[in-house]
Amino acid sequence: MSLPTPESTAARGGPAWLVAARQDAANWLATSPAPSSSAEVWRYSPIDDLDLGVFLPGATGTQARTLGGLEGIGVRIDAAALLAGASDVDGVSVSSLSAHPEGAVLLGSAAPADEFVAALSLASIDDGIVIDVPRARLSSTPIVIVHNLAGGVQARRTIVRAAPGSSVTVIEAWVGGGDTTLSAPVTELLVDDGAHVAHASIQLLDDASWHLGTVKARVGRDGVVTQLTAGLGAAYDRCRTDVTLAGQGASSVLRSTYLGTADQIHDLRTHQIHEAPRTTSDLLCKGAVTGDSRSIYTGLITMRHGASRADANQTNHNLVLSDGAHADSVPNLDIAENDVRCSHASTVGPLDEDQRFYLEARGIEPVDAERLLVRGFFTDLLERSSIIGARGVVGEVLDERLEGAGLR
Amino acid sequence: MSVLKIVGLTADVAGRHVLDGVDLEVSSGEVHVIMGPNGSGKSTLSHAIMGRPGTIVTRGSITIDGVELVGEPPSTRAKAGLFLALQQPIEVPGVSLADALVAAGASFDGIEEALASEAAAVGLRPDLLNRPLNVDLSGGEAKRNEIVQMAVLKPAFAILDEIDSGLDVDALGAVARRVEAATEEWGLGVLAVTHFHRLLEELRPDVIHVLAQGRIVETGGPELAHEIEAEGYARFLG
């Protein structure tokens, strides 16, 4: 298999607008240069090793897993069942993208196919899930979507549209996968005026998979988007999270974490875009690398002209827990407005010597002190996320993986 | 009955000689106070006893009941019976007080009750026990938290490094009374480092040592503290 082409995409089904969207994306791919690590957005990444020929459809994942912690949370959506008709979850409508009357308009409305990953995803899309939250509907039931992936290029699409004054929590988890799986999902969060969307993205794929994930949010006046992203599986895990604060007073809270074991690569990209006055964004990303793993954090805060009195904070802490591991942190600011507040901080390094000493001086053996500190590093991040159910699942899997790495 | 014995201790910090041959002996149940002007080496002595990285012991010996501790990691020293209440307790995000104390050997059963009762004894607000270790505590709260940990772990010897700084008069009284009670309750031996006199009114020391330029230059009874209160350290600095 190679890149999807206009011819290959034409053979795939769905309504005409979906076929056309795939073809447009395939055209974009055909006419754009292939991604290369010499480009800034792919710096430090293994994109030059990308060989679409290895991602074969049909092969099943080698690491399908159950998520005990997700069982007790909210309502789990079965994408296949949606084709038979929309389902109602606590007053929220959940339907398939292909059958949605506004599917053509919704698809790509927050995440246009204007770069390689989004274009690859759109050219490869089968269908998607649309979550419509009616005006002023305050849903207290989290909607849980478990993407259990088989082989091939898997382009899951989730679109959450929260009407003015509504609120909803959506938790997505990626499981399964394997060395024939390239996951290229896109989640679009359309947060209207005064609405609140909480979204968690938990990537737990088999460690041989590739995952090129995108979450893009657009937030209206006084709207709030609260996010938790966790990258734990995959050989190459790229997680791009963009938030556009389009309406006055819109705000974003993002908590993001990763754990690298063996020779995994975790590549986190965040973009906080302030377009309107008094918008606020608060980002905390904490992750750790062990073994021979690597991580890249690239964070950009953009303050557009007119975003007066906007306030943005971006903090990235990376723990490097072995000699073979490596972390890069690249924070950036792009400010076109004078009357704003921006702060950013980043650290890369081993466990803190003073913290180690403090615990050891209480009688805690060095190896136990290290485990407490590593788990504490993640606990600190998770406790700052308000998406309780999702953070419990992330904590559970972190514990498993830390144990596997000899750190618990 | 245990004895903490320090003989001929010299130590460097950042390539500078700070301790220049310290001799001390503290027995169970005794309260020793080390006074001295700023820069005399008081905190370095505390750190050297506990084995803090960055404080390099170059000569001398630290023993509990004859067991040598120089060269041992801090956890081994703690297991041997030492406890250090730091002048500036370290924030440890994500790690709870109870988890740390259980990892340090405190009994899991009853840890919540023990913490609640010890917090009450030193006037630490009970909700602060749920914060990660020392995170967002005021100076005085962190000091009280150190004493709570000491009282739960029940060490043979406690080194209290400027435990009085940051405490108001009432808190200081509560902390000093808890330490004093521990000397009776389980025979705690205390080595309290301070350059203030006010701690001594509640702590009732048995022995006062004056540390100046890295050495113990004078040892005496409580009257020595009164003399320093009245006349300062000038005569020791000759």
Side-chain angles (χ1 to χ4, degrees):
Chain A
M1 191 182 96
S2 52
L3 282 177
T5 62
E7 294 71 35
S8 70
T9 58
R12 308 179 79 170
W17 56 264
L18 186 56
V19 173
R22 280 193 206 108
Q23 289 191 337
D24 287 348
N27 275 324
W28 189 96
L29 290 172
T31 54
S32 304
S36 153
S37 61
S38 60
E40 180 60 29
V41 294
W42 294 102
R43 192 149 70 110
Y44 307 116
S45 84
I47 192 66
D48 300 336
D49 302 337
L50 176 64
D51 174 9
L52 287 167
V54 306
F55 300 113
L56 299 172
T60 51
T62 55
Q63 198 174 295
R65 51 170 300 145
T66 56
L67 289 169
L70 275 181
E71 297 304 324
I73 305 167
V75 170
R76 187 155 157 179
I77 297 302
D78 179 356
L82 291 178
L83 290 172
S87 65
D88 179 289
V89 179
D90 197 10
V92 174
S93 161
V94 184
S95 50
S96 73
L97 174 65
S98 59
H100 196 285
E102 295 167 83
V105 179
L106 288 172
L107 177 62
S109 56
D114 56 1
E115 45 87 31
F116 175 75
V117 175
L120 176 65
S121 178
L122 187 55
S124 312
I125 192 171
D126 279 321
D127 201 340
I129 294 174
V130 179
I131 297 171
D132 270 310
V133 195
R135 181 179 283 265
R137 176 72 215 167
L138 304 176
S139 167
S140 56
T141 307
I143 295 170
V144 178
I145 304 167
V146 178
H147 303 284
N148 193 353
L149 302 188
V153 177
Q154 297 278 343
R156 300 298 172 96
R157 172 83 50 159
T158 304
I159 300 171
V160 180
R161 180 167 60 166
S166 68
S167 78
V168 70
T169 296
V170 177
I171 298 172
E172 291 188 88
W174 280 264
V175 299
D179 60 6
T180 59
T181 303
L182 170 63
S183 168
V186 174
T187 298
E188 305 185 62
L189 308 176
L190 304 165
V191 187
D192 214 323
D193 296 351
H196 180 191
V197 170
H199 180 256
S201 162
I202 308 172
Q203 189 273 103
L204 308 171
L205 291 168
D206 180 283
D207 285 359
S209 322
W210 271 45
H211 181 82
L212 308 176
T214 303
V215 181
K216 290 200 179 189
R218 185 168 180 86
V219 188
R221 183 178 181 128
D222 295 325
V224 180
V225 63
T226 304
Q227 291 170 277
L228 173 65
T229 73
L232 300 174
Y236 176 47
D237 164 41
R238 181 179 170 99
C239 173
R240 174 171 175 181
T241 311
D242 292 10
V243 175
T244 301
L245 299 166
Q248 187 167 314
S251 68
S252 146
V253 176
L254 173 59
R255 304 288 176 248
S256 187
T257 190
Y258 67 87
L259 171 66
T261 60
D263 54 2
Q264 283 186 305
I265 300 172
H266 293 285
D267 181 349
L268 290 92
R269 313 249 150 191
T270 65
H271 194 176
Q272 299 148 269
I273 304 151
H274 291 253
E275 291 186 341
R278 292 193 296 283
T279 46
T280 63
S281 66
D282 177 32
L283 180 156
L284 177 65
C285 171
K286 294 181 79 171
V289 279
T290 65
D292 294 317
S293 65
R294 286 198 288 130
S295 70
I296 306 116
Y297 171 76
T298 308
L300 175 60
I301 299 173
T302 296
M303 291 285 186
R304 300 241 196 270
H305 180 65
S308 56
R309 294 167 64 196
D311 189 334
N313 176 55
Q314 179 197 93
T315 305
N316 170 231
H317 295 302
N318 304 279
L319 268 186
V320 180
L321 295 171
S322 67
D323 292 340
H326 184 80
D328 288 292
S329 180
V330 189
N332 286 297
L333 299 175
D334 173 11
I335 300 179
E337 169 65 49
N338 291 323
D339 184 18
V340 296
R341 284 182 49 183
C342 257
S343 59
H344 61 148
S346 87
T347 60
V348 175
L351 288 170
D352 183 83
E353 273 304 317
D354 285 337
Q355 292 176 358
R356 252 182 211 277
F357 169 71
Y358 189 79
L359 294 183
E360 290 177 22
R362 293 295 177 257
I364 302 173
E365 297 295 332
V367 61
D368 295 329
E370 180 170 312
R371 288 171 183 169
L372 269 178
L373 289 174
V374 170
R375 187 55 171 88
F377 176 83
F378 288 107
T379 301
D380 176 60
L381 181 281
L382 294 175
E383 285 183 346
R384 292 167 199 269
S385 167
S386 57
I387 312 177
I388 308 283
R391 80 187 205 193
V393 174
V394 174
E396 226 175 77
V397 180
L398 270 170
D399 282 344
E400 274 172 34
R401 295 189 69 98
L402 287 170
E403 191 169 355
L407 285 164
R408 189 173 168 81
Chain B
M1 183 70 162
S2 287
V3 179
L4 168 64
K5 193 168 180 182
I6 297 167
V7 180
L9 192 70
T10 66
D12 294 0
V13 175
R16 201 167 59 85
H17 302 301
V18 181
L19 298 183
D20 186 27
V22 172
D23 299 300
L24 271 177
E25 191 170 316
V26 181
S27 295
S28 295
E30 293 180 351
V31 176
H32 290 235
V33 168
I34 298 195
M35 303 185 73
N38 286 331
S40 58
K42 299 190 301 295
S43 278
T44 299
L45 177 60
S46 305
H47 296 163
I49 294 172
M50 205 69 226
R52 186 168 195 169
T55 302
I56 315 293
V57 170
T58 48
R59 271 203 327 276
S61 149
I62 303 166
T63 58
I64 291 181
D65 300 334
V67 176
E68 182 60 56
L69 297 178
V70 170
E72 296 294 339
S75 54
T76 303
R77 301 181 195 218
K79 290 267 190 283
L82 284 178
F83 179 92
L84 170 63
L86 279 171
Q87 185 178 356
Q88 287 169 322
I90 310 292
E91 288 193 14
V92 190
V95 177
S96 77
L97 179 58
D99 284 353
L101 291 179
V102 169
S107 163
F108 178 78
D109 292 323
I111 184 74
E112 304 292 341
E113 294 76 7
L115 285 171
S117 132
E118 292 301 344
V122 295
L124 182 68
R125 260 174 38 216
D127 60 298
L128 300 181
L129 296 171
N130 299 324
R131 297 241 178 113
L133 270 176
N134 299 318
V135 173
D136 295 331
L137 297 188
S138 72
E141 288 161 351
K143 294 302 180 66
R144 281 183 268 210
N145 190 29
E146 295 284 276
I147 297 303
V148 167
Q149 294 177 50
M150 182 204 79
V152 170
L153 292 172
K154 296 191 168 37
F157 296 96
I159 321 297
L160 309 178
D161 189 2
E162 308 246 1
I163 195 70
D164 44 355
S165 64
L167 291 179
D168 59 35
V169 174
D170 292 339
L172 181 62
V175 161
R177 280 191 296 277
R178 184 66 193 97
V179 173
E180 183 67 37
T183 64
E184 299 287 335
E185 199 180 322
W186 71 86
L188 176 73
V190 178
L191 188 61
V193 165
T194 184
H195 56 249
F196 292 114
H197 180 257
R198 56 180 196 163
L199 177 68
L200 310 177
E201 285 162 13
E202 298 280 358
L203 201 51
R204 299 206 302 274
D206 302 298
V207 185
I208 306 276
H209 307 273
V210 178
L211 184 70
Q213 288 150 344
R215 319 179 67 121
I216 304 285
V217 294
E218 186 141 336
T219 294
E223 71 285 352
L224 189 50
H226 293 292
E227 184 198 323
I228 291 167
E229 176 74 358
E231 298 167 23
Y233 291 106
R235 92 170 160 90
F236 305 106
L237 296 173

